[in-house]
Amino acid sequence: MRGVLLLSPGALWLNHLAMPRKKKKKTFSAVKAVKTMSRTAIGKVPSVKRVEGVRREKKEKHKPSIDRLMEDAE
């Protein structure tokens, strides 16, 4: 069996280490270009913080128990 090279199945991944993959060429995006230009001109915009409104007020999840109703009545 001269000239026959026997490799284990785990040794096949060694071929992938020899040559790195080519990087995918990025396509031009007008949106990204405009955003980068505006960031350089204006600067980084602070993130928006939401203010809790009257509509967003949390409601109780459960009906009040008899004990709690008695305490509130006193």
Side-chain angles (χ1 to χ4, degrees):
M1 296 210 18
R2 185 177 246 186
V4 177
L5 183 61
L6 297 175
L7 293 175
S8 65
L12 294 176
W13 64 271
L14 290 172
N15 292 338
H16 297 289
L17 295 176
M19 190 169 201
R21 289 184 177 179
K22 288 184 179 180
K23 289 188 177 181
K24 187 176 181 181
K25 192 174 182 180
K26 294 183 181 179
T27 57
F28 177 75
S29 172
V31 174
K32 287 184 182 179
V34 169
K35 285 184 178 183
T36 53
M37 287 173 32
S38 68
R39 281 192 202 100
T40 56
I42 298 171
K44 187 176 178 184
V45 180
S47 60
V48 178
K49 294 182 180 176
R50 190 175 79 178
V51 178
E52 293 279 335
V54 178
R55 287 183 168 182
R56 300 295 252 151
E57 202 170 289
K58 290 189 175 182
K59 298 177 183 177
E60 290 188 29
K61 291 187 176 182
H62 305 284
K63 292 182 180 180
S65 62
I66 294 175
D67 295 333
R68 184 173 285 174
L69 288 172
M70 296 296 284
E71 288 175 8
D72 291 341
E74 292 175 352

